[in-house]
Amino acid sequence: MGERLRAVLPSVFSVILALAVCWCFIALTRDARTATDAYFQMLRGGLGDWPAYLDGGRVALLTRPLGEAAIKASILLLTGLSVAVAFKVGLFNIGAQGQMLMGALVAALVGAWWELPGPLHVLAALLMAGLAGGAWALIAAWLKLARGVHEVISTIMLNWVAVSLVDNWLVVGPLRAGAGTVLSTTGTPEILPSAQLPRLLGEISRLNLGFPLALALALALWVWLSWLRTGFETRAVGLGAEAARAAGIPVTRRTAQAMGLAGGLAGLAGAVLVLGTELRYPGTLGAPYGFDGIAISLIGNSHPLGVTLSALFFGALRAGGTRMQLLGVHKSYPELIQGLALLFVAGRQVWLALLRKPRRASQAAAQAAPTPGPEVPRA
């Protein structure tokens, strides 16, 4: 338990330090009271306006902010898990953004063009989006395994290929709504109602099925990595590919499987965004959730449960960022907090060295303590 706690504390300290630094930024540019009030507004925007609700307000004061936080957290969680799974085999998946774009596009097309009963339509759109993201990631896996191309280079290039292919051509060209007519608009046609992710709380919140789906996938990944043989082999490849190969583990297969799974998770993130909130592929997908997944994974120590907590926390902060504008503070501060937390997590060895000092001091004190001698019997 002590070792697990020491593994978690650097991330916790990094987030706390990032919150403190951003508070200082606001206090220096405005004043301390405004900085404190802005943080309270951010919490109310992400966790609900509890004072107003307890004072007799409507339940929507809680459900709407919590729903927005859950929507953002679900996408951050899926992209964070995408990066984390690739980490487990020693690969750095920078391409979650491109994989998410491909998944979002396929989900939008399946949702708009296919006609299926409700549950089957949602399932088909999610499945095809996951396959599209996985196929896009397997290109980088093949380049790594067959040609020795570093995955950082290939995934970055594939990101820009996806952006140019989807955002700059398909959704503003041949796949745009009403293509070939005078009523054409940027973006794909709206998905059919049967393909929309069901809202869990009706009209009082935009919380949809994507949130429990993301949580279920995080739990499934934790079970797989912790308890199943293939999960153990995946982690063994990441710890040492040559040693794993000498032990008889199929390194190439496990690497390709992990990268395909990583792409599938990013593709599902795009599907949740399109099927749950956008309801079509817009002219541009906007927020770079795929790149945010890198920060979420690193802050969560690439552990499915840690990534889940990180995504929930930053999902709430980002949902509440817009309320900071009520005090004249820019809504991008949650992204700044996330970026600083990632920067501080990068100095993980510094945190670990600081945590070792009290332990070494206690051990030295224990060794320096005099050892009691044998008890002398009284006469």
Side-chain angles (χ1 to χ4, degrees), residues 5-193:
L5 183 61
R6 272 187 289 275
V8 170
L9 285 178
S11 295
V12 175
F13 291 157
S14 297
V15 171
I16 293 174
L17 183 57
L19 288 168
V21 169
C22 286
W23 183 92
C24 292
F25 287 162
I26 301 174
L28 289 173
T29 55
R30 303 294 297 276
D31 56 74
R33 182 179 180 82
T34 300
T36 303
D37 290 343
Y39 268 40
F40 277 119
Q41 289 293 341
M42 181 171 59
L43 291 176
R44 289 179 179 180
L47 301 178
D49 195 342
W50 285 91
Y53 171 71
L54 295 175
D55 198 32
R58 298 173 301 149
V59 71
L61 292 171
L62 302 182
T63 57
R64 291 189 187 282
L66 288 171
E68 296 302 315
I71 289 171
K72 296 183 182 299
S74 60
I75 302 171
L76 290 174
L77 176 54
L78 288 170
T79 55
L81 291 174
S82 172
V83 177
V85 169
F87 272 141
K88 293 303 180 182
V89 289
L91 299 181
F92 199 179
N93 181 24
I94 308 292
Q97 182 70 16
Q99 296 147 21
M100 186 182 73
L101 291 181
M102 301 306 294
L105 176 65
V106 171
L109 297 181
V110 172
W113 292 353
W114 292 15
E115 295 185 7
L116 295 170
L120 287 179
H121 204 172
V122 171
L123 182 61
L126 290 172
L127 179 61
M128 296 304 294
L131 290 175
W136 200 251
L138 285 175
I139 298 175
W142 179 81
L143 290 172
K144 171 75 173 181
L145 298 171
R147 309 301 299 175
V149 178
H150 200 285
E151 72 279 0
V152 170
I153 303 298
S154 61
T155 52
I156 289 176
M157 294 177 66
L158 286 169
N159 277 339
W160 292 111
V161 171
V163 170
S164 299
L165 180 66
V166 178
D167 285 354
N168 297 342
W169 178 44
L170 292 177
V171 299
V172 297
L175 297 182
R176 71 184 186 276
T181 69
V182 296
L183 300 177
S184 64
T185 59
T186 300
T188 62
E190 286 198 10
I191 64 174
L192 299 174

